[in-house]
């Protein structure tokens, strides 16, 4: 990809160096899932101190936390007083994550109380603080809880939206602790950036991911090889930076990122409807999906059979809507930043960058992330290399690195534009 290396090449970013992590555990049934989260942190080499609340120990005992972390476990400031743990733990942490954060913990944190070791740690931490709430839907929806969440977010705390799904007992709804692997991935993103203030806080963004499928008959479709990894990385990075995120996922087989509202679609038409509907209240729209450009003009209710004479059917195709061009032209919210992706293969007449610049102008978006996909590069890969072209003439070269690094470089460019010209809100 020699034509994409440029003088403005920037730092490679990757997984965070092992750091000092405080894992707070509040008294909810999801406390058992924090044991899995703890394991993920220690396996990644982080130094983890577990600080449960007294009621958390009713769900999972101190022996579990001590054995898994290899450290003594305290709930109060009155233990190991000579080490002043209520100050030292918060001061020396690179990250404080509380999972699960109960309604009571959110209330105490919002009030700035210091009535156990965990709330003391929250008051002394100067590093990023991530809270992963889990509770019954009624408690999450309650005005008091929502006010506490708003207070904490306004102070720079990253409060991850709970997942929707099965809760304790027979109930289901919003309030489920996201998958521990996904909470861990978000925390790794936060640690890798090493920035305490979430710079997308208060912003709503839409990301599309995956590849569409255009049905031909009940068993066949026209599709493509997009895995959705880059879109997932973008959604996760936006959550880690404090945004409210909707992910429109076309046939993505990967787990839902923590804190993201996921809308599942199959065809380009469905993708268009979901993106347009979410874009109305979005400050940024990132089209990382690979929508099919064509679909079969007609589909059949019955499976197309082989002809006895050996002839093959002829497919008649029709164009699908160009979502990126539509979103860019309509700007459903003035000042909205629109980002496209372009997978290109250059040739003798035009380089990948020439094609990228032409596409940027044609689509009318603000930023275009250009990948060179000669030889099938990018599809399904865990790392990526790209150039981010701006309609204002800017160019950022992103060296080969994890999809999360490219995701943050994209959001850096989006944030720059949102700060220069904040979107107008009519709601
Ligand atoms: N895109 C879109 N709607 C489509 C096709 C593409 O919104 N029907 C978006 C993609 O999500 C991506 C960008 O447009 O962000 C560029 O996709 P690409 O396939 O490279 O663009 P095409 O318009 O299909 O151009 P080409 O003729 O080069 O395939």
């Amino acid at each position: 990809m020699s034509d994409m290396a440029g003088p403005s090449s920037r730092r490679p970013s990757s997984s965070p160096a092992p750091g000092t992590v405080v894992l707070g555990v509040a008294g909810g049934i999801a406390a058992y899932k924090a044991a899995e989260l703890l394991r993920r942190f220690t396996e990644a080499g982080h130094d983890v101190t577990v600080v449960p609340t007294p009621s958390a120990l009713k769900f999972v005992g101190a022996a579990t936390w001590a054995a898994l972390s290899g450290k003594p476990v305290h709930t109060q400031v009155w233990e190991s007083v000579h080490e002043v743990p209520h100050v030292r733990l918060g001061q020396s942490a690179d990250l404080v994550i509380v999972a699960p954060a109960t309604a009571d913990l959110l209330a105490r944190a919002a009030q700035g109380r210091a009535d156990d070791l965990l709330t003391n740690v929250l008051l002394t931490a100067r590093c990023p603080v991530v809270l992963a709430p889990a509770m019954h839907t009624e408690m999450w929806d309650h005005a008091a809880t929502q006010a506490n969440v708003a207070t904490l977010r306004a102070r720079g705390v990253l409060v991850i939206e709970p997942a929707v799904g099965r809760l304790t007992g027979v109930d289901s709804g919003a309030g489920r602790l996201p998958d521990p692997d996904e909470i861990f991935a978000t925390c790794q993103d936060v640690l890798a950036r090493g920035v305490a203030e979430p710079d997308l806080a208060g912003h709503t963004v839409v990301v599309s991911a995956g590849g569409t499928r255009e049905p031909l008959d009940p068993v066949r479709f026209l599709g493509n090889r997009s895995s959705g990894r880059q879109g997932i990385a973008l959604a996760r990075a936006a959550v880690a930076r404090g945004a409210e995120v909707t992910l429109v996922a076309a046939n993505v087989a990967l787990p839902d990122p923590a804190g993201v509202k996921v809308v599942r679609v199959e065809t380009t038409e469905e993708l268009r409807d979901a993106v347009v509907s979410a874009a109305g209240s979005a400050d940024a729209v990132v089209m990382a999906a690979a929508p099919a450009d064509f679909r079969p003009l007609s589909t059949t209710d019955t499976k197309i059979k082989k002809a006895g004479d050996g002839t093959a059917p002829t497919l008649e195709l029709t164009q699908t809507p160009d979502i990126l061009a539509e979103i860019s032209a309509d700007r459903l919210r003035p000042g909205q930043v629109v980002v496209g992706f372009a997978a290109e293969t250059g040739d003798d007449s035009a380089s990948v960058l020439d094609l990228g610049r032409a596409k940027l102008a044609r689509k009318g978006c603000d930023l275009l992330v250009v990948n060179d996909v000669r030889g099938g590069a990018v599809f399904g890969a865990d790392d990526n290399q790209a150039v981010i072209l701006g309609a204002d003439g800017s160019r950022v070269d992103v060296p080969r690195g994890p999809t999360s690094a490219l995701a943050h470089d994209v959001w850096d460019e989006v944030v720059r534009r949102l700060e220069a010209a904040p979107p107008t809100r009519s709601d």
Side-chain angles (χ1 to χ4, degrees):
M1 208 151 101
S2 56
D3 65 328
M4 296 180 70
S8 59
S9 281
R10 302 182 350 146
R11 56 164 180 92
S13 38
S14 57
S15 297
T20 304
V21 174
V22 174
L23 170 59
V25 184
I29 187 68
Y32 75 94
K33 294 187 185 169
E36 186 63 24
L37 183 57
L38 170 57
R39 201 180 57 81
R40 300 286 282 119
F41 274 113
T42 53
E43 278 177 2
H46 298 296
D47 176 81
V48 190
T49 302
V50 182
V51 182
T53 61
S55 52
L57 294 185
K58 294 191 195 275
F59 292 95
V60 180
T64 299
W65 306 120
L68 289 177
S69 69
K71 290 188 182 201
V73 171
H74 303 306
T75 60
Q76 298 298 352
V77 294
W78 311 116
E79 293 139 334
S80 303
V81 175
H82 64 289
E83 291 176 351
V84 204
H86 70 290
V87 178
R88 184 184 48 78
L89 282 173
Q91 279 177 341
S92 59
D94 297 310
L95 177 82
V96 177
I97 160 77
V98 183
T102 55
D104 180 62
L105 188 280
L106 294 174
R108 291 190 294 129
Q111 285 210 343
R113 293 182 67 99
D115 45 8
D116 59 13
L117 184 55
L118 180 54
T119 44
N120 275 272
V121 168
L122 292 173
L123 284 178
T124 52
R126 293 294 173 268
C127 58
V129 174
V130 181
L131 306 181
M135 63 198 74
H136 254 68
T137 309
E138 292 81 356
M139 298 174 86
W140 173 250
D141 285 343
H142 196 282
T145 304
Q146 288 302 311
N148 291 331
V149 169
T151 299
L152 290 161
R153 284 181 174 156
R155 286 189 200 134
V157 175
L158 190 70
V159 184
I160 299 177
E161 287 289 311
V164 176
R166 185 77 193 267
L167 304 170
T168 319
V170 294
D171 295 342
S172 62
R176 202 177 145 82
L177 189 73
D179 186 85
D181 280 354
E182 294 304 318
I183 297 175
F184 173 72
T186 303
C187 290
Q188 287 284 84
D189 246 43
V190 173
L191 274 164
R193 266 175 57 74
V195 178
E197 284 291 308
D199 57 1
L200 279 172
H203 289 292
T204 301
V205 305
V206 180
V207 176
S208 70
T212 62
R213 293 177 177 180
E214 309 301 329
L216 185 55
D217 68 15
V219 294
R220 301 186 182 92
F221 57 83
L222 296 183
N224 62 70
R225 291 159 58 191
S226 177
S227 65
R229 272 192 176 76
Q230 186 60 62
I232 296 260
L234 281 154
R236 183 182 286 143
V239 168
R241 296 169 78 140
E244 188 181 324
V245 185
T246 298
L247 177 71
V248 184
N251 310 296
V252 174
L254 302 164
D256 291 354
V260 169
K261 179 183 171 202
V262 181
V263 181
R264 297 194 181 282
V265 297
E266 186 177 349
T267 64
T268 297
E269 198 73 51
E270 290 168 7
L271 182 71
R272 181 223 164 253
D273 291 350
V275 168
V276 168
S277 138
S281 54
D283 298 327
V285 181
V286 181
M287 284 294 301
D293 291 325
F294 309 101
R295 66 171 172 81
L297 186 60
S298 59
T299 58
T300 58
D301 292 340
T302 52
K303 189 179 165 195
I304 301 168
K305 299 282 187 202
K306 268 191 296 212
D309 60 4
T311 57
T314 303
L315 290 185
E316 200 178 341
L317 303 177
T318 183
Q319 271 202 18
T320 57
D322 189 324
I323 307 161
L324 181 61
E326 180 183 338
I327 292 279
S328 301
D330 291 354
R331 302 289 166 154
L332 295 171
R333 165 172 284 180
Q336 182 177 69
V337 179
V338 180
V339 185
F341 272 68
E344 301 288 354
T345 53
D347 57 27
D348 291 344
S349 60
S351 72
V352 167
L353 281 186
D354 293 337
L355 295 170
R357 287 199 186 91
K359 189 168 283 185
L360 178 66
R362 202 163 65 239
K363 298 276 188 175
C365 50
D366 301 294
L367 293 161
L368 190 73
V369 184
V370 186
N371 292 127
D372 187 332
V373 290
R374 249 171 311 189
V378 175
F379 291 108
D382 279 325
D383 62 359
N384 212 338
Q385 174 184 16
V387 175
I388 306 172
L389 298 176
D392 56 4
S394 68
R395 168 184 170 174
V396 174
D397 291 60
V398 184
R400 181 158 295 285
T403 49
S404 60
L406 174 57
H408 280 293
D409 287 332
V410 171
W411 290 122
D412 283 347
E413 292 304 298
V414 170
V415 166
R416 221 187 303 288
R417 283 157 178 80
L418 290 175
E419 283 173 355
T424 314
R425 286 172 187 275
S426 50
D427 48 2

